[in-house]
Amino acid sequence: TTASLYDALRAAGGITQYSDFTKIKVIRRSSNYSGGETFVANINLFNLFLEGDQSLNMNLFDRDTIIVSKSQTILKEQFAKIANSNLEPNTIKVFVSGNVKTPGMLVMPNNSSLTQAIAMAGGVQNLSGSISFLRFDKNGKLEKRTFYHKFSQKEEINSYKNPRLISGDIVHVEKSLVGKSAEFIGTLASPIGNAYGIYKIFGGE
């Protein structure tokens, strides 16, 4: 099977809080030239997350070298800053992944809630279970809430299970135990989707 850049980063367990996702190098030495011509790709992996640019999640070949630069800013702060950039006034960027009809990044009005984001992503699919809600606070600390998806539908806006969202929030809908046992969980092995990849790196189990 072909491994992607994201597969390699995840398998290496090399992502630390000071990894710089904006400066990742993939170095490839060609065997077709005497002297070994070298190809270097400079990749901003955040563009994969925020814009869904799958071309950045390049396939790797044997003996490729990946270099992840170190940042003076922790990864969560990098992400929060980028998630808040390039926004129109009164809009936010949030990410919905998992067992919804159209997962990905959403641009929503300010004061939108978790249930509104799920609805905008096409709603939950059959056999959905819990929802994980992830948010970075002003200090870059990750807050995570997990609750059964049907409970959030009944909650008032700005409650614990149906919070108002801010840019960079991540909402992930799990399959139920029945759903997980009924079919192969392809999302765990497939190429990264922008929202699911963020969930897995920042807070996913």
Side-chain angles (χ1 to χ4, degrees), residues 99 125-130 148-149 173-183 185:
N99 201 36
Q125 300 273 52
N126 290 334
L127 303 177
S128 290
S130 62
Y148 190 54
H149 84 276
V173 181
E174 294 280 359
K175 281 185 176 292
S176 67
L177 292 177
V178 174
K180 287 180 179 180
S181 62
E183 64 181 5
I185 309 175

Side-chain angles (χ1 to χ4, degrees), residues 9 14 25 75 114-115 159 168 177 183:
L9 292 172
K25 290 184 182 292
L75 184 61
L114 180 146
T115 55
S159 60
L177 292 177
E183 64 181 5

Side-chain angles (χ1 to χ4, degrees), residues 3-56:
S4 69
L5 172 60
Y6 176 70
D7 292 331
L9 292 172
R10 186 169 62 176
I15 301 302
T16 73
Q17 64 175 339
Y18 287 100
S19 297
D20 187 347
F21 267 26
T22 68
K23 297 177 182 177
I24 293 179
K25 290 184 182 292
V26 178
I27 301 173
R28 180 172 299 161
R29 187 174 297 276
S30 173
S31 60
N32 296 329
Y33 299 90
S34 57
E37 183 171 317
T38 299
F39 164 78
V40 179
N42 295 295
I43 296 174
N44 181 343
L45 203 60
F46 273 122
N47 287 341
L48 169 61
F49 293 152
L50 297 175
E51 301 171 11
D53 186 352
Q54 289 293 330
S55 67
L56 298 175

Side-chain angles (χ1 to χ4, degrees), residues 17-143:
Q17 64 175 339
Y18 287 100
S19 297
D20 187 347
F21 267 26
T22 68
K23 297 177 182 177
I24 293 179
K25 290 184 182 292
V26 178
I27 301 173
R28 180 172 299 161
R29 187 174 297 276
S30 173
S31 60
N32 296 329
Y33 299 90
S34 57
E37 183 171 317
T38 299
F39 164 78
V40 179
N42 295 295
I43 296 174
N44 181 343
L45 203 60
F46 273 122
N47 287 341
L48 169 61
F49 293 152
L50 297 175
E51 301 171 11
D53 186 352
Q54 289 293 330
S55 67
L56 298 175
N57 190 29
M58 61 187 296
N59 289 330
L60 301 176
F61 296 112
D62 193 28
R63 299 186 181 181
D64 281 355
T65 300
I66 302 170
I67 299 175
V68 181
S69 300
K70 184 176 180 179
S71 172
Q72 297 302 312
T73 306
I74 65 173
L75 184 61
K76 295 169 186 175
E77 290 177 356
Q78 296 174 54
F79 174 69
K81 181 179 179 180
I82 292 174
N84 279 287
S85 67
N86 300 320
L87 282 176
E88 295 294 326
N90 302 317
T91 59
I92 58 173
K93 288 178 183 175
V94 300
F95 303 87
V96 181
S97 66
N99 201 36
V100 292
K101 292 180 181 178
T102 53
M105 185 189 75
L106 303 176
V107 178
M108 304 185 68
N110 273 335
N111 297 318
S112 296
S113 71
L114 180 146
T115 55
Q116 290 169 332
I118 291 174
M120 192 170 175
V124 298
Q125 300 273 52
N126 290 334
L127 303 177
S128 290
S130 62
I131 290 176
S132 291
F133 167 72
L134 289 79
R135 171 180 289 172
F136 304 124
D137 66 18
K138 293 180 180 179
N139 298 317
K141 183 179 179 181
L142 181 68
E143 175 191 358

